[in-house]
Amino acid sequence: MKSSVKFQLMSMMFLMFFGWGAWYGQMSKYLLDNLHATGDQVGNAYTTFAIASIFAPFFVGLISDRFFAAQKVMGFLNILGGVILYFLSLERDPEAFFWYILAYTLCFAPNLALSNSIAMNQMSNPEKEFPSIRVTGTIAWIVVTNIIGFYALGDKVAIFEIAMYTSFLLGIYSFTLPNTPPKADKNASVAQILGLDALKLFKDRSFLIFFISSILICIPLSFYYAMANPSLTDSHMSNVENKMSLGQASEVIFMLLIPIAFTRLGVKKMLVVGLVAWIVRFLCFGYGDGISSEWILYIGIILHGVCYDFFFVTGQIYTDQKAGEKIKNSAQGLITFATYGIGMGIGSKLSGIVLDYYTVNDIKDWQAVWMVPAAIAGVVLLLFVFFFSEKKTTYS
């Protein structure tokens, strides 16, 4: 790959995650503090990304893969997304806000697949070339959250204004990216687009357990994304956005450790370690305090790398190995649909309901809130320990 093309792809990833990171982790604080939203309204706002993730495979598979070049679709969607963000930034009614954020996430979610398609179309060896390009997205997330934390913008409309300008910039920039024409196969069925031909994997009990666990563990993941920022703020932690960016930093570190851990631990032990980390981090958020025991909150933040990488990234590798060559794309599509769509949707809605349940006279019992995802992660852990086994069977 030419260095100029590599720079283009790295810039694409940087801009995409810079815009996403500007608002995603901070939206709950903005809604609670500025729009005086209820917990349920916050949960609903976060379900929009799950809804968009369910529709994204339809859009990418039925539109981009068949009729239009990926970079042009990406350009159009980001410019439209910028327009929607402009009107969203003017909205002060949390009920109406939901419809604007839904419209925006419907424009944004396809970017994740489109950007991967554009990048990998330029690679001869994606396994080696893609990580160095994708990591710029994580760096962008760290950069933007630190900017927001430094200038104390976490509860300000500026988080959406930053995303708006970034969306316009990425939209225009997308038209300069390497051409990625539609794929040749225009006859793929809707079932194939959604990965439903990978349902044969459910014949394997362990894969079925993994699939169910992946959905269930996305419920606690949604609690983290939606509630960590306001929870840490209420615990009297200062510069929350800056300190939460340590989670993305740990994600980079543990991503690099995966090959070593995979060799020494194997799939089951890595997944179990990831699940234990989920339980520990929620206990840390529940019992830590920004005044007397801030170090406990730091542990909860830094464990993000173990939680995410050791379960989700390891799970993607496991799915790839289990599926075999013929249905690996369908299998990955099915897992993405189930986790970011179904699991995150349930978790986002539930997190809002739980927050309202444990809020009395505007006082939030965060310790009780965090015990709910900790308990869910505990159930998934038991499910894994007793019913999952590592088998080498593939379904090529």
Side-chain angles (χ1 to χ4, degrees), residues 134-189:
R134 170 58 182 81
V135 76
T136 57
T138 303
I139 293 170
W141 194 293
I142 295 171
V143 170
V144 72
T145 51
N146 273 282
I147 291 173
I148 289 168
F150 182 79
Y151 289 102
L153 302 176
D155 60 350
K156 305 292 191 300
V157 73
I159 61 177
F160 296 107
E161 293 172 342
I162 292 171
M164 176 186 69
Y165 291 122
T166 306
S167 188
F168 281 130
L169 182 57
L170 178 57
I172 295 169
Y173 183 71
S174 294
F175 289 101
T176 71
L177 293 170
N179 186 42
T180 309
K183 296 177 182 178
D185 183 11
K186 297 183 180 182
N187 299 313
S189 66

Side-chain angles (χ1 to χ4, degrees), residues 267-280:
V267 172
K268 182 173 183 175
K269 289 182 180 178
M270 286 187 70
L271 294 172
V272 167
V273 168
L275 290 169
V276 170
W278 278 109
I279 298 170
V280 173

Side-chain angles (χ1 to χ4, degrees), residues 22-23 31 36 48 81 94 116 162 189 252 256 289 294-295 300 318 328 352 386:
W23 64 271
L31 286 170
H36 307 293
T48 60
N116 287 347
I162 292 171
S189 66
V252 174
L256 298 175
D289 184 271
E294 190 173 36
W295 62 273
Y318 168 73
K328 63 167 58 179
F386 291 108

Side-chain angles (χ1 to χ4, degrees), residues 11-279:
S11 300
M12 171 189 70
M13 291 290 184
F14 188 92
L15 288 172
M16 183 176 71
F17 281 88
F18 190 92
W20 190 11
W23 64 271
Y24 193 65
Q26 293 71 247
M27 180 169 66
S28 53
K29 184 190 287 188
Y30 171 76
L31 286 170
L32 291 168
D33 292 356
N34 268 1
L35 302 193
H36 307 293
T38 64
D40 190 48
Q41 288 171 329
V42 172
N44 289 340
Y46 276 95
T47 62
T48 60
F49 199 89
I51 294 170
S53 296
I54 290 173
F55 283 100
F58 281 103
F59 186 86
V60 175
L62 296 175
I63 305 297
S64 175
D65 283 355
R66 298 180 181 215
F67 302 110
F68 302 102
Q71 79 279 3
K72 293 180 180 179
V73 175
M74 192 172 180
F76 171 78
L77 286 175
N78 279 282
I79 291 173
L80 178 59
V83 173
I84 294 170
L85 283 171
Y86 170 75
F87 291 103
L88 178 149
S89 67
L90 302 176
E91 186 57 59
R92 293 296 178 267
D93 178 7
E95 288 292 333
F97 178 92
F98 169 84
W99 298 105
Y100 283 111
I101 196 66
L102 174 61
Y104 172 66
T105 53
L106 286 169
C107 290
F108 180 82
N111 280 326
L112 301 176
L114 291 169
S115 61
N116 287 347
S117 177
I118 293 168
M120 292 187 182
N121 194 58
Q122 302 300 314
M123 300 175 186
S124 57
N125 191 341
E127 291 83 359
K128 292 184 178 180
E129 297 175 281
F130 185 71
S132 64
I133 290 172
R134 170 58 182 81
V135 76
T136 57
T138 303
I139 293 170
W141 194 293
I142 295 171
V143 170
V144 72
T145 51
N146 273 282
I147 291 173
I148 289 168
F150 182 79
Y151 289 102
L153 302 176
D155 60 350
K156 305 292 191 300
V157 73
I159 61 177
F160 296 107
E161 293 172 342
I162 292 171
M164 176 186 69
Y165 291 122
T166 306
S167 188
F168 281 130
L169 182 57
L170 178 57
I172 295 169
Y173 183 71
S174 294
F175 289 101
T176 71
L177 293 170
N179 186 42
T180 309
K183 296 177 182 178
D185 183 11
K186 297 183 180 182
N187 299 313
S189 66
V190 172
Q192 289 173 318
I193 291 169
L194 289 178
L196 298 183
D197 53 344
L199 291 177
K200 66 177 72 174
L201 291 171
F202 291 162
K203 295 177 182 178
D204 185 321
R205 188 190 72 176
S206 289
F207 184 84
L208 179 60
I209 294 297
F210 165 73
F211 181 82
I212 295 171
S213 300
S214 296
I215 294 175
L216 293 177
I217 203 63
C218 276
I219 298 174
L221 177 63
S222 298
F223 272 78
Y224 171 72
Y225 283 136
M227 301 302 168
N229 193 310
S231 171
L232 294 174
T233 300
D234 284 353
S235 74
H236 307 291
M237 176 180 266
S238 60
N239 303 107
V240 170
E241 289 80 15
N242 300 84
K243 292 169 182 176
M244 283 188 68
S245 71
L246 293 172
Q248 277 66 48
S250 75
E251 188 180 326
V252 174
I253 294 171
F254 284 102
M255 182 79 73
L256 298 175
L257 292 176
I258 281 180
I260 299 173
F262 215 90
T263 301
R264 296 191 177 185
L265 298 178
V267 172
K268 182 173 183 175
K269 289 182 180 178
M270 286 187 70
L271 294 172
V272 167
V273 168
L275 290 169
V276 170
W278 278 109
I279 298 170

